Amino acid sequence: LPIVWSIRHLRQAAGADGKARNTLARLTQFRQFYVMVVGYIYFTRIIVYLVEIALTYKLTWLGPFFAEIATLVFFTLTGYKFRPTADNPYLRVRNEDDDADEFGLDDDDEESGTGAGAGDIEMTSKPTPADD
């Protein structure tokens, strides 16, 4: 119920603010996921149990079958809703260029000679005195 209220208020604010629009999209996606989880739990715990009680002995395999089909559908829909896309608000796909800029790694350092390349570092070990 608080999710519905939050979505209602964010819809009113979404026209004025881009951040509110992003929050509204995330909250709407969360609400859809929440409804899927509740539906999955009710179906696998209550509906499947009622079906198992009503079935004859020869058809008892249908109870676990329905539970497994519901699980397959639930996880398939969850994977589809949260698949990595360029505009998915939960899974931001980063470019390789962003990683280099974030840490200040540029090709300019190598060209000017100020950067230390992998060949510039020399590892030496000092001999340790042997214990007598």
Side-chain angles (χ1 to χ4, degrees), residues 34-103:
Y34 180 76
V35 168
M36 281 179 22
V37 168
V38 170
Y40 170 73
I41 290 172
Y42 280 128
F43 183 80
T44 57
R45 302 301 186 257
I46 296 172
I47 304 298
V48 170
Y49 176 72
L50 293 174
V51 168
E52 286 177 346
I53 290 174
L55 294 175
T56 63
Y57 177 73
K58 289 185 179 181
L59 297 176
T60 54
W61 61 272
L62 285 174
F65 176 75
F66 287 143
E68 292 297 324
I69 292 297
T71 302
L72 177 69
V73 168
F74 173 74
F75 284 111
T76 302
L77 285 175
T78 301
Y80 179 75
K81 286 199 162 293
F82 291 99
R83 68 188 181 277
T85 59
D87 60 340
N88 190 334
Y90 290 108
L91 301 171
R92 293 281 183 210
V93 179
R94 297 182 63 170
N95 295 336
E96 292 177 13
D97 297 336
D98 294 342
D99 294 336
D101 294 338
E102 179 180 343
F103 296 109

Side-chain angles (χ1 to χ4, degrees), residues 4-16 20-21 23-24 27-28 31:
V4 175
W5 293 334
S6 297
I7 290 174
R8 186 176 304 139
H9 291 300
L10 283 172
R11 278 194 183 135
Q12 295 170 353
R21 191 175 311 121
T23 304
L24 177 65
L27 201 55
T28 303
R31 182 185 66 181

